[in-house]
Amino acid sequence: MKQTLILGNIITMDEKRPFAKAAVVKNGLFAYIGSAEEAKKLAGRDAKVLDYGENFIYPGFLESHCHGHLAGYRFIGQANLGKAGVITDYAKYREIIKEFIAANPQREFYVAAGWVENEEYVSKAYLDEICPDKPLLMQTGGGHSMLLNTKALQWAGIDAEYAKKAGYDLVHVDKNGEPDGYICEGPVFEIVPKLPATVEDIKEYLLAWQDFALSSGFTAVGDAGVEVVNRNALQAYHELEQEGKLKLRTYAYMYVTDNVDSPKAEIARIAATRAELSGEYFHIIGAKAFLDGVTEAHTGWQNQDYLDEPGYHGAERFNDHEKMVELIVEANKEGMSVHVHSEGGGATHFMLGCIEDAEKVTGNLDQRNVLAHLHFVTDEDIRRMGATKSVAAVPPLWLAAVKGFYEQEVSYVGKELADQAYPVKSFFDAGATVVFHSDYPVSPMMNVKYSFYTAEKRTYPKEVFGDATSPRGLKEVITREQSLRAMTINVARQFHQEHRLGSIEFGKIANMTVFDCDFLHDDIEKVAQANIVATIVDGEEVYNSKQ
């Protein structure tokens, strides 16, 4: 029988035994957690030993909402405009894109990602000047808007008629009514899955993503809209598992289009795909829908009008109450949940109403539907989040007031509301299941230590962004233990995997992450300097910082 003895300072997340000095793993599962002396006796002389000394061992960290294919694509398949950090220099963007084109002359299609919009407005001419003969698309880091050159507009079929049908808020036009290259929201998500990529390409992207996630300390993730970028991602995940190459467990939500024609048929499609393609390391657990956009793009669905545009409260994407209720009810029949992008307060209010009505039909008060982002939420909707036992997926790395972005928020929704953003503690107090998410790579960072730091300080350490961020919402500070729960056992609960993942307990899968820092007790400034030592999946080291 294959056995491994693991030694170190173990923080278990098991309320009955919160700390231990050793664990024994048999066939990938925890067989004992307790003292080093007893563990050595049980493991025997022939056991493999992983001795981490005075370092700290945690349950493998879990990411509740990210985009694996997109991450790998940005690592190796696109011109990465954020490779030098967050920049807003349009001249620099063109330099990066030109370098990528020069290095990949054989490509018939180019994509750049990581664009951060500023007050300068650019149109298709900005890209035509550097790439007039092939399609070139430049997507924002957040993924909700995009600039296309003339060839890309032609490839996508975006013309004056398309713009008129989609609406000029989503497809901008010039004075002659012709698309000027800028699109956002629905049209973006319509064309992105059409970007050319083979299954083999996507497998390469997913393996690059896996390496990054494991080296960052994550052992399982939630892929929120697994085929948003390309429909072939499902097959790529499945083939990688069949080939024995997947180590990072992925719990996937399949993408549902806005106000889908037949929610019942859509859930049936997802359930059939789950039966065909799901396995141990790639498993489909629900549906993903977009309710709105994002406040910084002026498309977050707010409870009130934008201050700079009276009569407009944002983009309502999936806003059909009856269809969302049906989606939730049908998902419940299949033992699945619905995961929504809900950035503005209006979107969250809409979704909670749908969940309440669906619960009256199903009687299931523990479906674990997920609302992700939750930028602005009223006190009443915070209470409803707990009452419906919904999962509040909050972004710790977005909590700080960032110069430029904060002032933009204030101009859109007012200072009072901007200062109440991301009410993390209130969600805990209301009894919601709170999980952390990064939204990587839509957001540029997926990081354990900074998640602890920002959840406590509501800003970043100076060495990260200097004076560009400052604290906000300090009444929403949470404890270190709450942060740890939001990255371990609570996410396992979101995945309906709390019996297998999220804590170091007898019989659970032996996933662990080792850091050189005590996240629960060390000074918070020391936490910001923590280093990962190792990542363990199924009792085997899959990453070691010294190798």
Side-chain angles (χ1 to χ4, degrees):
M1 184 176 289
K2 188 177 181 181
Q3 295 191 134
T4 302
L5 172 65
I6 297 173
L7 303 171
N9 293 309
I10 302 176
I11 298 174
T12 68
M13 294 305 293
D14 176 5
E15 293 180 0
K16 297 178 181 178
R17 186 193 294 273
F19 305 104
K21 293 293 291 184
V24 176
V25 175
K26 292 184 180 180
N27 295 328
L29 304 177
F30 289 114
Y32 172 80
I33 301 102
S35 71
E37 294 77 12
E38 188 64 23
K40 289 175 181 178
K41 292 178 185 177
L42 292 172
R45 294 182 179 179
D46 296 332
K48 180 179 179 180
V49 179
L50 296 176
D51 188 348
Y52 297 107
E54 293 305 308
N55 291 310
F56 292 83
I57 302 171
Y58 303 89
F61 285 98
L62 309 177
E63 161 64 44
S64 72
H65 177 112
C66 61
H67 307 279
H69 172 204
L70 182 60
Y73 191 21
R74 291 190 178 178
F75 287 148
I76 60 178
Q78 297 181 333
N80 184 358
L81 303 179
K83 66 181 180 181
V86 178
I87 57 174
T88 60
D89 185 341
Y90 283 18
K92 181 64 176 176
Y93 289 150
R94 290 216 292 193
E95 289 179 18
I96 295 170
I97 295 170
K98 287 168 68 176
E99 289 174 3
F100 186 81
I101 291 173
N104 298 274
Q106 77 286 357
R107 295 193 179 210
E108 296 300 320
F109 204 103
Y110 296 104
V111 179
W115 169 30
V116 177
E117 298 170 81
N118 60 29
E119 67 279 359
E120 180 182 354
Y121 188 82
V122 289
S123 67
K124 57 190 176 185
Y126 168 83
L127 298 179
D128 284 342
E129 290 176 8
I130 58 172
C131 187
D133 56 340
K134 296 179 182 180
L136 168 61
L137 302 87
M138 184 171 78
Q139 191 168 14
T140 53
H144 286 256
S145 52
M146 178 183 285
L147 185 67
L148 293 77
N149 73 350
T150 298
K151 287 290 186 181
L153 287 169
Q154 294 169 356
W155 163 81
I158 297 176
D159 55 16
E161 182 178 351
Y162 181 100
K164 184 176 181 180
K165 183 178 179 180
Y168 298 139
D169 286 335
L170 303 185
V171 179
H172 291 196
V173 297
D174 60 24
K175 62 183 180 181
N176 298 316
E178 294 294 330
D180 71 2
Y182 183 89
I183 65 174
C184 63
E185 299 307 333
V188 172
F189 288 89
E190 181 181 321
I191 71 169
V192 164
K194 300 176 183 177
L195 296 175
T198 67
V199 171
E200 291 303 315
D201 289 336
I202 298 170
K203 287 161 70 173
E204 185 179 359
Y205 303 153
L206 290 175
L207 290 176
W209 151 246
Q210 176 174 263
D211 288 346
F212 169 80
L214 294 174
S215 68
S216 300
F218 293 91
T219 58
V221 300
D223 195 316
V226 64
E227 78 281 41
V228 167
V229 177
N230 193 290
R231 305 298 185 206
N232 288 329
L234 292 161
Q235 186 64 30
Y237 269 118
H238 176 68
E239 290 186 13
L240 286 173
E241 174 150 18
Q242 295 299 107
E243 295 164 9
K245 295 178 180 178
L246 284 187
K247 301 173 184 177
L248 179 73
R249 284 176 170 83
T250 298
Y251 296 91
Y253 299 89
M254 287 178 59
Y255 177 50
V256 173
T257 55
D258 301 352
N259 295 328
V260 63
D261 289 339
S262 173
K264 183 175 182 178
E266 193 70 350
I267 293 300
R269 177 184 72 89
I270 293 171
T273 306
R274 176 183 61 180
E276 179 186 359
L277 300 180
S278 284
E280 173 62 28
Y281 294 89
F282 174 70
H283 189 66
I284 296 166
I285 61 173
K288 159 70 182 295
F290 287 88
L291 302 186
D292 65 344
V294 291
T295 297
E296 62 267 24
H298 221 244
T299 53
W301 177 0
Q302 311 299 343
N303 279 311
Q304 70 294 318
D305 291 348
Y306 280 78
L307 294 178
D308 65 326
E309 191 172 344
Y312 171 76
H313 58 255
E316 299 182 16
R317 291 191 52 178
F318 199 128
N319 64 352
D320 188 309
H321 179 90
E322 290 184 4
K323 285 185 174 181
M324 179 55 75
V325 171
E326 184 180 0
L327 193 73
I328 297 168
V329 169
E330 292 299 320
N332 178 75
K333 291 177 183 178
E334 296 291 346
M336 297 190 294
S337 61
V338 175
H339 185 131
V340 297
H341 171 115
S342 184
E343 206 264 3
T348 297
H349 186 76
F350 164 83
M351 185 62 183
L352 290 171
C354 296
I355 293 173
E356 288 170 341
D357 284 352
E359 287 181 345
K360 294 172 185 175
V361 176
T362 66
N364 183 2
L365 303 181
D366 192 29
Q367 191 176 348
R368 308 178 195 182
N369 297 299
V370 184
L371 290 86
H373 310 325
L374 301 169
H375 198 164
F376 306 114
V377 188
T378 64
D379 290 343
E380 175 61 16
D381 284 343
I382 291 169
R383 183 198 65 77
R384 295 167 76 206
M385 189 80 73
T388 57
K389 293 185 169 59
S390 298
V391 177
V394 295
L397 300 174
W398 302 1
L399 302 181
V402 182
K403 287 183 179 178
F405 291 99
Y406 172 74
E407 288 75 16
Q408 181 186 54
E409 278 184 28
V410 171
S411 71
Y412 287 168
V413 302
K415 187 176 188 305
E416 181 178 0
L417 193 56
D419 288 341
Q420 295 171 4
Y422 308 115
V424 183
K425 180 178 183 297
S426 294
F427 287 132
F428 271 107
D429 292 346
T433 297
V434 181
V435 298
F436 282 176
H437 80 71
S438 68
D439 203 14
Y440 192 83
V442 174
S443 291
M445 192 181 298
M446 189 170 101
N447 189 286
V448 170
K449 65 183 180 183
Y450 293 146
S451 294
F452 277 103
Y453 189 97
T454 54
E456 179 170 326
K457 303 292 284 186
R458 305 280 298 197
T459 191
Y460 279 93
K462 292 291 185 183
E463 62 267 22
V464 179
F465 294 121
D467 294 323
T469 68
S470 58
R472 68 166 164 179
L474 289 173
K475 68 182 182 64
E476 294 292 342
V477 164
I478 61 174
T479 68
R480 308 273 189 89
E481 183 180 1
Q482 286 174 320
S483 289
L484 185 56
R485 292 189 67 84
M487 289 186 278
T488 55
I489 191 64
N490 283 9
V491 187
R493 179 174 174 75
Q494 171 191 328
F495 299 158
H496 292 261
Q497 295 291 315
E498 68 270 28
H499 61 295
R500 305 175 75 221
L501 301 172
S503 62
I504 297 174
E505 296 184 66
F506 178 83
K508 287 193 173 185
I509 295 169
N511 288 355
M512 292 158 276
T513 308
V514 187
F515 275 87
D516 64 358
C517 180
D518 181 351
F519 288 130
L520 295 181
H521 302 102
D522 283 344
D523 182 86
I524 192 62
E525 299 303 328
K526 182 178 179 181
V527 168
Q529 304 298 323
N531 299 295
I532 187 170
V533 175
T535 305
I536 301 162
V537 172
D538 301 334
E540 298 287 338
E541 263 194 358
V542 293
Y543 171 77
N544 189 299
S545 61
K546 294 182 180 179
Q547 296 176 355

